[in-house]
C-alpha cells in the first residue's frame, strides 16, 4: 500500500467503522508506528467536522496509561480529517473473546478495574466516552487501553 497522510507512511488498514478507517502507519520524522483514524464519510458536513475536532480536543486533554494518546490532528480546516494516535499492537477485547472464549472472573475484574480508572480520569476532566464496548478496549502485554472517543461528550460548560 503506497499511501501517505501528511508525513505518515501508511502500512495497512487496522480497522474500519461507519465513518472512517484506522491505519497502521510510520511517522517518518520520529520513526515510530502510529495509528491514524481517517474520516472517510461526512467530511463535508460542518457538524461532523466539529465533532471530529471535539474528539481530538477531548483525547488531547486526557493523559492516562489506560487511554490512547493523541499525537497529531489534521485540523478542522484540513481537506482530509485525521487523528494520529499511539499505536497499541494488541487485540481488542472483542477479538480476544472471539479467539479465546470467556475469560476468568479474575481477568475480567482486572480489565474492568483498568477501564474504570480510565473513565474516572476522563470524568475528572469533564469528558464522557459514551461508547464503551469490547471493540474500543485494546489489550497488549498486560496494558488495557480505552480508544475511540468518537461520540465523546464534554460536560464542562466551557469545553
Amino acid at each position: 500500500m503506497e499511501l501517505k497522510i501528511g508525513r505518515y507512511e501508511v502500512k495497512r488498514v487496522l480497522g474500519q467503522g461507519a465513518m472512517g478507517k484506522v491505519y497502521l502507519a510510520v511517522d517518518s520524522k520520529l520513526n515510530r508506528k502510529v495509528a491514524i483514524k481517517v474520516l472517510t464519510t461526512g467530511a463535508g458536513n460542518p457538524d461532523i467536522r466539529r465533532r471530529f475536532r471535539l474528539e481530538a480536543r477531548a483525547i488531547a486533554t486526557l493523559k492516562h496509561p489506560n487511554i490512547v494518546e493523541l499525537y497529531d490532528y489534521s485540523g478542522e480546516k484540513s481537506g482530509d480529517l485525521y487523528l494520529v494516535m499511539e499505536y497499541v499492537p494488541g487485540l481488542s477485547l472483542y477479538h480476544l473473546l472471539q479467539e479465546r472464549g470467556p475469560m476468568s472472573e479474575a481477568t475480567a475484574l482486572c480489565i474492568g478495574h483498568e477501564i474504570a480508572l480510565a473513565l474516572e480520569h476522563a470524568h475528572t476532566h469533564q469528558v464522557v466516552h459514551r461508547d464503551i464496548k469490547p471493540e474500543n478496549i485494546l489489550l497488549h502485554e498486560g496494558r488495557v487501553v480505552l480508544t475511540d472517543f468518537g461520540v465523546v461528550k464534554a460536560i464542562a460548560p466551557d469545553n
Side-chain angles (χ1 to χ4, degrees):
M1 175 180 283
E2 288 291 323
L3 176 64
K4 282 194 83 149
I5 300 171
R7 72 178 197 234
Y8 308 98
E9 299 168 21
V10 173
K11 298 301 181 187
R12 65 182 169 90
V13 175
L14 291 173
Q16 184 169 347
M19 300 294 288
K21 290 183 179 179
V22 178
Y23 297 98
L24 171 62
V26 174
D27 180 339
S28 59
K29 270 189 184 175
L30 299 174
N31 193 30
R32 69 176 168 188
K33 292 179 181 178
V34 295
I36 303 180
K37 179 179 180 178
V38 180
L39 189 68
T40 57
T41 303
N45 182 322
D47 186 52
I48 290 175
R49 295 180 81 79
R50 183 191 60 76
R51 284 177 38 208
F52 205 73
R53 182 189 76 233
L54 180 63
E55 178 180 3
R57 288 185 176 174
I59 298 171
T61 65
L62 304 176
K63 301 291 183 220
H64 191 274
N66 298 114
I67 296 175
V68 70
E69 188 173 349
L70 179 70
Y71 296 145
D72 197 4
Y73 164 51
S74 61
E76 189 176 6
K77 305 255 188 244
S78 174
D80 296 319
L81 292 179
Y82 60 87
L83 302 175
V84 180
M85 296 169 286
E86 163 190 17
Y87 170 60
V88 181
L91 293 173
S92 72
L93 179 57
Y94 175 82
H95 286 105
L96 182 78
L97 292 170
Q98 291 295 314
E99 282 186 11
R100 300 184 188 167
M103 60 182 60
S104 72
E105 183 178 321
T107 300
L109 285 170
C110 288
I111 291 171
H113 175 74
E114 297 295 307
I115 294 303
L117 292 173
L119 293 172
E120 176 185 44
H121 181 77
H123 295 173
T124 299
H125 288 83
Q126 308 300 309
V127 174
V128 178
H129 188 284
R130 299 195 322 171
D131 196 22
I132 304 298
K133 60 186 179 184
E135 293 89 334
N136 292 339
I137 298 168
L138 299 177
L139 306 168
H140 178 65
E141 296 180 350
R143 185 171 169 223
V144 179
V145 183
L146 183 59
T147 66
D148 197 354
F149 283 72
V151 291
V152 69
K153 181 168 182 70
I155 55 176
D158 61 343
N159 196 354

